Amino acid sequence: MRNYARWSRGLWLVLILGGLSIAGVLSVSSLTEDESTVETVEVQEYQGIKLGSVDDFRENSIAGVQTIDIDTYRLVVDGLVEQSASYTYGALLEMPHHEKMVTIFCVEGWSVRGLWEGIPLPELLALSQIQSDANTVIFHAQDGYTTSLPLDFVVERNLIIADRINGITLPPANGFPFQLVAEDKWGYKWIRWLTRIELSDDPAYRGFWETRGYSNEGSTDGSIFGD
Ligand SMILES: Nc1nc2c(c(=O)[nH]1)N[C@H]1C(S)=C(S)[C@@H](COP(=O)(O)O)O[C@H]1N2
Ligand SMILES: [Mo]
């Protein structure tokens, strides 16, 4: 009987300590959940139009989500320019920003409307003085991905490279620190984890999906395959 009493006291102790530690774990995890909710509250509507969410994107990257160390990150502008440049994330955040509501359409059939905020490329490229024979912009990313667009299109449409979507900093899955907002072009032109912008005189350059049969023009109102 004495043994049983000691055993049952021990059991209670184990149950109480166990309960306490579970409660501790639960409260810690709910705390971090609250904190992250606060940091990731997205704008849900813009000028009366409902926006999508970063949770609506499908992860289909060629080498998985890239994690970029923002302290060593540089965005390089080079190729057919008078002045090659290399920008830190901090320097880029200080540049004038522009906001656009644009929908991304992936060839796989999904689409997401977002409110994108970022740096207009014409202004960024002008800082490097584009040479007159340049006609193509080739974009390079951390995961080895590339794509390209005609320089005229980039300038005329005032394309931006976004560091924010729906009022929050671009999440890693969406290309942190920068994703090209290639409006009216298929999702494969919307390069994420952008690291280098190269000015070129080769309009026939083909990027990752473009060399695998996808249209180099890549317009959402044109064909998916072909040119
Ligand atoms: N660096 C890089 N950028 C990329 C890709 C990729 O694999 N690597 N995939 C492209 C494709 S096919 C699509 S549809 C969009 C999806 O971007 P999102 O998830 O931010 O909408 O990213 C594009 N940009
Ligand atoms: Mo895509």
Side-chain angles (χ1 to χ4, degrees), residues 73-79 84-88 92 124-125 128 138 140 194-199:
Y73 174 80
R74 295 292 181 275
L75 177 62
V76 169
V77 178
D78 65 0
S84 295
S86 170
Y87 300 99
T88 63
L92 292 162
L124 181 67
L125 300 182
S128 286
I138 303 174
H140 302 256
L194 181 66
T195 53
R196 179 178 169 213
I197 305 171
E198 179 192 3
L199 275 295

Side-chain angles (χ1 to χ4, degrees), residues 57-63 104-107 110 116 141-143 145 173-175 179 187-193 209:
F57 294 98
R58 320 275 170 85
E59 172 34 36
N60 59 359
S61 317
I62 58 161
I104 176 171
F105 297 89
C106 175
V107 292
W110 55 268
W116 312 87
Q142 176 89 2
D143 54 355
Y145 192 88
N174 295 88
Q179 177 173 35
Y188 60 84
K189 295 278 185 186
W190 292 55
I191 192 167
R192 288 172 280 166
W193 309 294
W209 286 118

Side-chain angles (χ1 to χ4, degrees), residues 44-143:
Q44 293 178 357
E45 223 182 77
Y46 183 67
Q47 298 177 344
I49 299 172
K50 189 134 182 36
L51 299 169
S53 160
V54 290
D55 297 330
D56 300 340
F57 294 98
R58 320 275 170 85
E59 172 34 36
N60 59 359
S61 317
I62 58 161
V65 172
Q66 302 293 299
T67 315
I68 287 197
D69 176 357
I70 214 58
D71 296 327
T72 55
Y73 174 80
R74 295 292 181 275
L75 177 62
V76 169
V77 178
D78 65 0
L80 298 177
V81 293
E82 296 302 333
Q83 193 74 59
S84 295
S86 170
Y87 300 99
T88 63
Y89 184 58
L92 292 162
L93 286 190
E94 282 176 18
M95 290 186 185
H97 276 53
H98 187 78
E99 187 176 71
K100 290 188 188 201
M101 184 170 62
V102 186
T103 303
I104 176 171
F105 297 89
C106 175
V107 292
E108 290 176 334
W110 55 268
S111 66
V112 181
R113 182 189 288 130
L115 179 60
W116 312 87
E117 251 176 279
I119 303 161
L121 280 177
E123 287 169 41
L124 181 67
L125 300 182
L127 296 174
S128 286
Q129 300 163 61
I130 304 169
Q131 290 177 12
S132 57
D133 48 345
N135 54 28
T136 302
V137 188
I138 303 174
F139 299 90
H140 302 256
Q142 176 89 2
D143 54 355

